[in-house]
Structures are given as structure tokens and as C-alpha cells.
Amino acid sequence: LDCPTTMLSRRVGKAFGHGYQARTQIYIGILFLWSIVAMMVMNLLYWSGTHHNFATVAFILLAVTVVAIVVLTAVSEATKLQNLVCNHRMLIKNEIFSIDQALSDLYGMERDERGTGFVNTPKTPTNTAIVRSTNTRARASMALLSPLVAGDVASPTKTVGEVEKECISLESAKRILATADDLIGYQEETFNPVTVMGFQATNGVYNSTVGLLVTLLIFALEGYSNSTLEYGPAGWST
């Protein structure tokens, strides 16, 4: 696979999953709205002193707990999916940085050795393999995107012309990777990011969801502590 093919596969995969994601967002939104209404009903029971059975409160608490687990899991997974975009962009940027290092070394040796007609390339970690200066995970993930940077920069002895051709190839690979980075940033971070209930999937959405449910629960406990309600043997409030 080359870089354009990889970019196309990302778009196709996201297009296939868009319908499923839209339906999932609707279901998650309905469940979250129901949990908010249920918590408001429980607050109403305690703050107004309405006659009710304890089984009603127990059912609301149990149902809201289950719904909260489902909603928070969905928000957490969506946030992780969105964070993968940043991780993938960082891998690409690591490759671009590696290419820049190799090009800098090659251009420097070309200037120093142009008079001899040959370039003697020392076998340093940067010159022997561009991506050895990056972490192993980045190299494995990006090898399909940039096959040009997976091999040696130059053999121990090459002519200036051969080095110039290699520099041109690396410059081309660098431009392709930079374009891929820009496309991923625009399409998956600005134009069409992962969303949950209409909001971009970030840690702020997760924190807001938890904060809202906990706030409603605290209000309900405060209402119960300030009321004169007591439950009889049959569970009815008096």
C-alpha cells in the first residue's frame, strides 16, 4: 500500500461507519435524556414531598446507573477514537522529521564531497536508516505510508548524481506525507470529527456528562435530607 491508497481507505472506512455512528448517537442521546428526566423526577419527589413508594426511587437509581455506564462507555470510546487521529498525525510528523534529518545529512555530504565525484557516507544511525531515529512503533505504523524511508539512505559510496536522485525521491516522499498530514487534520479534526450527542468527542464531554448526573444526584440527596419523608414497612413514604 502507498500513501494515497491508505488515505482513501481511511475515507472509505469512515464513510461505511458513518450510518452506524449516526444511529448510535441517537440511541445514546435518548438514553442520556431519559436518565436526566428520571433524575429530575426523583428530585421532584423529594423536594415536593410527593407520596411515593421506595421501589420507585430504587428503580430510578438502578436504571440511571445502567444508562450512565452505557453513556459514559460510549463517550470514552469515542474520545479514544478521536485521540487516535492525533496519534496518527504524530507518527507522520515523526517520519517527516526523519526525512528532514536524512536530507540535511545528504545535502551536507554532497556539498563537502562534490569535488571528488563520490560521497562517502558514514554509517551513523541517521544515515544508515532514516526511521531508526524514531521509535519502533512509528516505524512499523508508517512503513506502508512511506516505503522510501524504510531502507538505507545511501550505500557506503555513491556518486553525487545518485545522491541527488535520492534526495529528490526523499523530497517527494516528504511532500506526500505532509499533504497526508494536512488532509487528516482537516477532515478528521476540523471538518468531520468524531462526535457524541452532537459534540466533538473530547474529555470535556465526558466530564460534563459525569458532572451533570452527579449534580442531579446530590440535589436529590439534599432534598431527601431536608424533607420529613419516612418509609413504612411496605415502602410507602409518610
Side-chain angles (χ1 to χ4, degrees):
L1 292 178
D2 55 8
C3 189
T5 303
T6 304
M7 292 298 300
L8 182 60
S9 65
R10 290 176 68 96
R11 296 181 61 183
V12 171
K14 197 164 187 177
F16 272 106
H18 180 72
Y20 174 78
Q21 181 192 15
R23 291 193 300 271
T24 303
Q25 287 191 48
I26 294 175
Y27 300 149
I28 293 299
I30 293 174
L31 289 174
F32 185 60
L33 180 62
W34 182 89
S35 65
I36 292 177
V37 172
M39 292 296 292
M40 293 178 65
V41 169
M42 188 172 66
N43 275 270
L44 180 63
L45 293 177
Y46 285 132
W47 284 98
S48 64
T50 305
H51 184 63
H52 63 276
N53 193 288
F54 181 76
T56 303
V57 177
F59 172 78
I60 290 176
L61 291 175
L62 179 61
V64 169
T65 300
V66 174
V67 170
I69 293 174
V70 174
V71 172
L72 293 177
T73 300
V75 174
S76 177
E77 293 300 323
T79 303
K80 292 179 182 178
L81 181 61
Q82 183 63 33
N83 289 338
L84 285 178
V85 177
C86 298
N87 295 337
H88 292 168
R89 294 192 67 186
M90 182 55 67
L91 296 177
I92 295 177
K93 292 181 185 297
N94 285 338
E95 291 296 324
I96 295 175
F97 177 72
S98 300
I99 293 177
D100 283 334
Q101 285 183 312
L103 287 173
S104 177
D105 293 339
L106 289 176
Y107 284 140
M109 289 182 294
E110 181 183 355
R111 288 192 300 268
D112 294 339
E113 305 292 339
R114 181 173 289 274
T116 64
F118 291 90
V119 176
N120 296 320
T121 306
K123 290 189 175 182
T124 61
T126 300
N127 294 326
T128 303
I130 301 174
V131 293
R132 289 179 189 172
S133 61
T134 60
N135 55 68
T136 305
R137 179 182 176 186
R139 183 181 181 187
S141 301
M142 296 305 303
L144 295 178
L145 287 176
S146 54
L148 290 175
V149 300
D152 291 338
V153 175
S155 61
T157 301
K158 283 191 175 183
T159 64
V160 174
E162 290 175 339
V163 173
E164 289 178 348
K165 291 181 180 179
E166 193 158 5
C167 289
I168 293 174
S169 298
L170 291 174
E171 288 283 1
S172 177
K174 176 184 173 182
R175 287 194 297 270
I176 293 175
L177 289 174
T179 302
D181 179 48
D182 293 338
L183 287 175
I184 292 175
Y186 175 73
Q187 293 177 353
E188 302 185 19
E189 290 185 344
T190 304
F191 178 70
N192 189 24
V194 179
T195 58
V196 178
M197 296 179 291
F199 299 96
Q200 185 173 351
T202 60
N203 291 329
V205 176
Y206 186 91
N207 296 335
S208 299
T209 303
V210 174
L212 181 58
L213 293 177
V214 171
T215 300
L216 291 174
L217 178 60
I218 292 175
F219 279 152
L221 293 176
E222 183 69 18
Y224 173 73
S225 63
N226 292 334
S227 66
T228 58
L229 293 176
E230 294 183 358
Y231 293 101
W236 291 101
S237 62
T238 56

